[in-house]
Amino acid sequence: MRGVTLLGVPWDEHSSHLRGAALAPPALRAALRSPSSNLSTESGLDLGDEPRLADAGDLEVPPGVAAVETIEESVARLLDRERRVLVLGGDHAVAWPSVRAHARRYEDLTVLHLDAHPDLYDEFEGNRLSHACPFARIMEEGQVARLVQVGIRTMNPPQRAQAERFGVEVIDMTLWRPDLTVNAAGPVYVSLDLDVLDPAFAPGVSHPEPGGLSTREVIGLLQRVKGPVVGADLVELNPTRDPTGLTARVAAKLAKELLARLLTTAECG
Ligand code: MN
Ligand code: MN
């Protein structure tokens, strides 16, 4: 592993309710660089003085289904250069191509999916690329060893049936406890939808769902993941719903903690 690369994917064509997540990468970078904070992680790593950290800028995403291949190949090229990748969405539709690229490289991949929503619809309003569907696409292709979902609080019968069909391990909010630890034997990909947080902490998302996690709880969960974290995406920041910039700050904080895991995880696969 030579280092970690940020890759912005300004793509919200398949958001079902509100557009705006495509504006997230620059907002997130601005929050990361804001003089109101600094670039140190809670483990003491200074990301402002970290030669292994790079930023590939924002991808030019073509319209239509070609976007999936463009995103997958862009992530795969970085992995081929021995880079780990933190994808900055965009909406959650980016998870399918990003996980696909990682699954090509890592056998036995565990996906840890933090979200208020299971995103397991076979199709949503006739769209199989919808941001409500990426984990159905991932699981039907048999790309990953395990899908573990945490923070879910909108499970409905069609998605319950999909979760059972695919053997998804769902730790919904009724099962949440503050010391929850996710154990993985092999490499872990973290897919972090900001609406896993309670809207009190992160209101600037397209689908705010009350009853979620605190910022502290998400940070703790990321720090406690047992297993090598080899890739991640951070999605669904919607700057048009974030007038104070608070949610971008929260996203930047979580990005720093994800980067700490990606930079300090031992070699694997
Ligand atoms: Mn999602
Ligand atoms: Mn969500």
Side-chain angles (χ1 to χ4, degrees):
M1 194 269 287
R2 295 215 173 97
V4 179
T5 299
L6 296 171
L7 178 66
V9 182
W11 189 44
D12 64 7
E13 190 185 344
H14 300 287
S15 285
S16 56
H17 173 54
L18 297 172
R19 302 290 290 265
L23 303 169
L28 216 151
R29 286 194 188 85
L32 269 173
R33 304 267 165 211
S34 166
S36 79
S37 184
N38 64 30
L39 281 162
S40 55
T41 70
E42 293 194 350
S43 60
L45 203 61
D46 182 0
L47 300 175
D49 185 31
E50 175 50 70
R52 294 173 301 163
L53 181 60
D55 189 339
D58 289 350
L59 200 58
E60 233 176 89
V61 185
V65 73
V68 174
E69 193 184 335
T70 297
I71 296 165
E72 179 180 345
E73 293 310 320
S74 303
V75 173
R77 270 197 299 277
L78 289 165
L79 297 177
D80 286 345
R81 285 161 40 202
E82 304 299 324
R83 308 290 305 178
R84 291 194 176 134
V85 185
L86 172 58
V87 170
L88 308 177
D91 71 29
H92 220 154
V94 307
W96 179 35
S98 179
V99 168
R100 242 185 175 180
H102 284 83
R104 276 158 56 176
R105 183 173 180 93
Y106 297 101
E107 279 177 34
D108 270 355
L109 194 64
T110 292
V111 174
L112 171 58
H113 168 207
L114 312 184
D115 203 325
H117 313 95
D119 293 351
L120 281 167
Y121 286 103
D122 181 57
E123 49 87 16
F124 194 78
E125 296 170 347
N127 182 4
R128 288 170 59 83
L129 293 180
S130 167
H131 72 154
C133 305
F135 295 92
R137 298 291 82 75
I138 288 164
M139 296 309 281
E140 72 195 3
E141 289 186 332
Q143 297 168 343
V144 303
R146 290 172 71 198
L147 173 59
V148 182
Q149 299 186 322
V150 177
I152 306 299
R153 50 195 186 275
T154 57
M155 187 66 88
N156 57 0
Q159 292 189 99
R160 170 68 64 196
Q162 289 277 83
E164 285 167 9
R165 172 186 166 205
F166 294 129
V168 181
E169 299 164 57
V170 183
I171 302 168
D172 67 22
M173 282 308 290
T174 67
L175 299 172
W176 168 258
R177 42 189 171 71
D179 61 346
L180 180 81
T181 301
V182 176
N183 294 293
V188 182
Y189 178 98
V190 178
S191 188
L192 205 177
D193 182 329
L194 284 165
D195 67 35
V196 74
L197 291 145
D198 192 273
F201 297 90
V205 296
S206 300
H207 299 264
E209 183 67 32
L213 301 181
S214 70
T215 309
R216 191 69 247 161
E217 286 171 329
V218 175
I219 292 169
L221 185 64
L222 295 176
Q223 292 174 341
R224 285 195 306 274
V225 172
K226 285 212 171 67
V229 178
V230 298
D233 61 62
L234 179 52
V235 299
E236 296 285 349
L237 170 63
N238 187 337
T240 70
R241 311 303 265 188
D242 190 28
T244 67
L246 167 67
T247 309
R249 300 284 170 94
V250 170
K253 177 79 178 172
L254 298 176
K256 289 193 286 186
E257 293 306 306
L258 282 170
L259 289 167
R261 290 301 309 256
L262 289 164
L263 282 163
T264 53
T265 282
E267 215 50 65
C268 75

